[in-house]
Amino acid sequence: MSYVYTVARLRGMENHILDSAFFTRLMDSASIDDALKMLGETSYSQYLNQDSNFDKAIDSEMLATFHELAQFVPDQELLTLFRIPYDFHNVKVLLKGLFKVRAGDLNGRRYDLLSKLASIDTNELTEAVETEEYGFLPYGLTDVIPQCVALWDQTKNAQAVELLLDHQMFKAMLALAEKLNVALVTKWVKLKIDAENLKAAIRLARLKYDSNHALPFFHEGGFLRPDDFAKLMNEPQETWSRILSHTDISKVLNALTEQQDLKVAFSDVSAAIDRYLLEVLESAKYSIEDPANVLLYILAKEAEARNVRVSLVCVSSGLDREFARRAVIA
Amino acid sequence: MEYLGLSLALFGAALAAALSGIGSAIGIGVAGGSAAGVMTEDPNKFGSCLILQALPGTQGIYGLLIAFFVLNKLGLLGGAGAVALNWNQGLQIFAACLPIALVGWYSAIWQGRTSAASIQMISKKPEAMGKAIILPAMVETYAVLALLTSILMLMGIQVG
């Protein structure tokens, strides 16, 4: 299957992606029943009928999208790139369960939190973690899971274990992108690492971390080094945009200079980062066969799923709709 | 050396038909891939896609036209037998075939790519069909110019 076919088919599929006008109407729904009724007229309807839990319905729609794409995308690695985070999420869930059981909580395992969107079958992964047979696991999990177990045994520090897994996740994503040898895809992964580091920097600034303590939280592999982000910890947030002005990502930091409230600023910066990661890939739109179009479509679909989730949570729990509107990606 | 002129002229005719035909096949293939992708999601776009897919096919026809023109000039059509041709005349006919052979080959591929992009465009904006046709048709201009050049050159060559 050629990318000319793939990209043309994606163009057709893009017509079914829900737009911002739909989300505005969805968020203005009087009740969750009205919102679900509105969603029932979209591609999510088949999963809403199967499952009253809208979270699972959203995941089912994403899984169906991955399965559909797998039928005609020439490089399956492009899809794997998006499924790796779910694999690492599942590893975290399984390890947390394992640690709780070891600590005496026999009900600590939470298999219900495992994501179906992962590329490794959840049953196989569960069996591998339970039996400590990691040999067949991809993405460096063979080595990193025993390291996590050893780290937990020594420190009982769950955050350190999560960090170790996150470092490995980005390493695996970058290795996969470089194997694909598509410049725009590699650039996107590197920027995603930078974006993740930037989000971590804002969170750590809220917690008043200094550069030494913050350094281990930043991932390698982006265009900026972990050191560059750690140095931001010693500076006021409103100057970050100026400090990073030589980088492409500085433009998303405008919210920091405008917003004094870091909680609100984090939400604005997160939305700006998501928009920026979409914009980076948009040059692929003008090509009839750029593989990065696959990423662009999945990102748009992920943004749609996220927007559906935000809108439904907002309606069901009566949250501030203005805050939700800001979190929704246009 | 007796048949060198005839051989050169026939080689030119073969190139005109073959290269522009290859270009058209590639161009139609590229546009067809795009059309198949769009029609998988919306089969109702078959009519629009077919028109855009067919556009790169014209270069193959132009190449065939020039090949017929050459064969006719050489007396190979109609059974009257080939005219006598020296190597200089053969080389002139060969040169006259080159514009459509080369431009036809290359323009058909690029027209196919433009058609593929136009097909993707009508997938999102069906109302822009007119504009979608004009864009690949612009590439056609140069194939037509090459065809005219080849015809004018062939008409100016005296044989027999």
Side-chain angles (χ1 to χ4, degrees):
Chain A
M1 207 78 78
S2 78
Y3 273 106
V4 175
Y5 171 85
T6 303
V7 174
R9 190 162 168 184
L10 291 174
R11 291 280 176 274
M13 289 169 72
E14 279 169 10
N15 291 332
H16 307 303
I17 291 206
L18 304 174
D19 58 12
S20 53
F22 176 86
F23 289 113
T24 306
R25 289 203 311 277
L26 194 65
M27 277 188 282
D28 288 338
S29 302
S31 67
I32 186 67
D33 287 338
D34 287 349
L36 290 175
K37 198 173 164 187
M38 195 183 287
L39 208 59
E41 292 160 11
T42 67
S43 57
Y44 291 83
S45 62
Q46 51 189 318
Y47 308 110
L48 285 170
N49 295 337
Q50 288 167 15
D51 208 315
S52 56
N53 180 342
F54 63 73
D55 259 330
K56 285 190 176 168
I58 293 167
D59 282 352
S60 297
E61 167 71 9
M62 276 308 293
L63 188 62
T65 302
F66 279 127
H67 286 162
E68 189 178 2
L69 292 175
Q71 290 171 13
F72 65 90
V73 172
D75 293 308
Q76 296 296 306
E77 290 86 352
L78 284 169
L79 307 180
T80 310
L81 209 51
F82 281 86
R83 301 184 77 173
I84 285 179
Y86 298 107
D87 284 312
F88 279 80
H89 161 82
N90 286 349
V91 170
K92 285 177 193 173
V93 169
L94 289 170
L95 285 180
K96 272 182 192 167
L98 190 72
F99 298 153
K100 279 188 178 175
V101 170
R102 283 189 183 182
D105 179 4
L106 294 176
N107 298 319
R109 289 189 176 89
R110 294 288 308 273
Y111 295 133
D112 56 311
L113 295 177
L114 293 175
S115 172
K116 293 182 290 182
L117 296 173
S119 66
I120 308 169
D121 180 72
T122 49
N123 291 329
E124 285 178 15
L125 185 66
T126 306
E127 196 181 330
V129 173
E130 295 292 334
T131 58
E132 299 184 16
E133 292 285 343
Y134 315 120
F136 76 95
L137 295 176
Y139 320 133
L141 288 170
T142 306
D143 296 324
V144 83
I145 293 179
Q147 284 174 29
C148 289
V149 175
L151 186 64
W152 173 258
D153 288 340
Q154 288 163 18
T155 64
K156 300 283 185 267
N157 184 343
Q159 193 180 45
V161 171
E162 275 206 32
L163 266 177
L164 194 58
L165 284 167
D166 285 344
H167 289 329
Q168 181 58 35
M169 179 183 79
F170 285 114
K171 201 173 157 186
M173 285 176 73
L174 189 58
L176 198 65
E178 283 170 346
K179 189 180 154 200
L180 276 165
N181 202 20
V182 180
L184 201 51
V185 174
T186 310
K187 182 184 177 186
W188 178 78
V189 172
K190 283 176 171 259
L191 282 171
K192 191 171 169 60
I193 295 170
D194 284 342
E196 210 55 45
N197 284 338
L198 196 55
K199 284 182 191 175
I202 297 170
R203 273 195 297 262
L204 295 169
R206 269 165 62 186
L207 299 170
K208 313 276 184 217
Y209 271 59
D210 64 27
S211 57
N212 284 339
H213 287 96
L215 186 60
F217 287 85
F218 302 118
H219 313 294
E220 300 268 1
F223 287 111
L224 296 169
R225 295 167 305 158
D227 275 347
D228 298 327
F229 288 101
K231 281 176 193 160
L232 295 176
M233 296 296 104
N234 301 331
E235 306 294 336
Q237 290 87 45
E238 57 270 20
T239 63
W240 288 10
S241 176
R242 189 171 45 78
I243 295 168
L244 295 178
S245 59
H246 63 289
T247 68
D248 288 346
I249 210 160
S250 66
K251 65 183 84 164
V252 304
L253 287 169
N254 289 342
L256 279 182
T257 52
E258 291 159 7
Q259 289 281 355
Q260 290 303 310
D261 181 355
L262 274 179
K263 191 180 171 192
V264 178
F266 180 74
S267 162
D268 287 351
V269 170
S270 287
I273 284 173
D274 289 337
R275 273 195 296 271
Y276 174 66
L277 287 173
L278 266 173
E279 281 168 21
V280 166
L281 292 173
E282 276 186 348
S283 61
K285 270 189 174 176
Y286 305 107
S287 164
I288 57 166
E289 56 185 353
D290 194 323
N293 278 292
V294 179
L295 264 66
L296 207 51
Y297 178 77
I298 301 175
L299 276 177
K301 193 71 191 171
E302 278 195 340
E304 177 196 85
R306 180 173 171 268
N307 291 345
V308 169
R309 195 169 274 130
V310 168
S311 304
L312 292 181
V313 167
C314 161
V315 173
S316 65
S317 49
L319 287 175
D320 175 17
R321 295 186 185 187
E322 197 46 49
F323 183 79
R325 270 195 192 94
R326 271 211 301 267
V328 164
I329 304 168
Chain B
M1 294 292 280
E2 188 186 345
Y3 295 108
L4 180 62
L6 185 63
S7 301
L8 280 171
L10 283 174
F11 187 47
L15 275 185
L19 288 184
S20 52
I22 290 170
S24 281
I26 295 172
I28 286 181
V30 171
S34 188
V38 168
M39 285 195 298
T40 307
E41 292 302 312
D42 186 359
N44 294 329
K45 294 210 165 70
F46 174 71
S48 313
C49 288
L50 187 66
I51 293 168
L52 288 164
Q53 191 198 355
L55 288 177
T58 50
Q59 282 85 342
I61 299 169
Y62 299 161
L64 185 69
L65 185 70
I66 292 300
F68 270 122
F69 204 113
V70 172
L71 293 177
N72 190 43
K73 206 168 185 70
L74 298 177
L76 293 173
L77 296 177
V83 295
L85 211 65
N86 62 35
W87 72 268
N88 197 20
Q89 289 168 318
L91 192 61
Q92 287 172 22
I93 291 177
F94 177 81
C97 290
L98 286 182
I100 192 59
L102 296 176
V103 178
W105 169 48
Y106 214 59
S107 68
I109 294 171
W110 282 100
Q111 192 172 29
R113 294 180 67 84
T114 318
S115 284
S118 288
I119 288 169
Q120 291 182 12
M121 186 173 106
I122 59 156
S123 158
K124 303 211 88 164
K125 295 185 187 298
E127 69 278 7
M129 182 62 188
K131 290 170 190 163
I133 291 178
I134 289 171
L135 297 175
M138 295 298 287
V139 186
E140 185 79 15
T141 312
Y142 299 94
V144 172
L145 293 179
L147 173 70
L148 280 174
T149 309
S150 287
I151 290 174
L152 291 172
M153 287 170 81
L154 283 171
M155 285 173 69
I157 298 167
Q158 298 298 320
V159 295

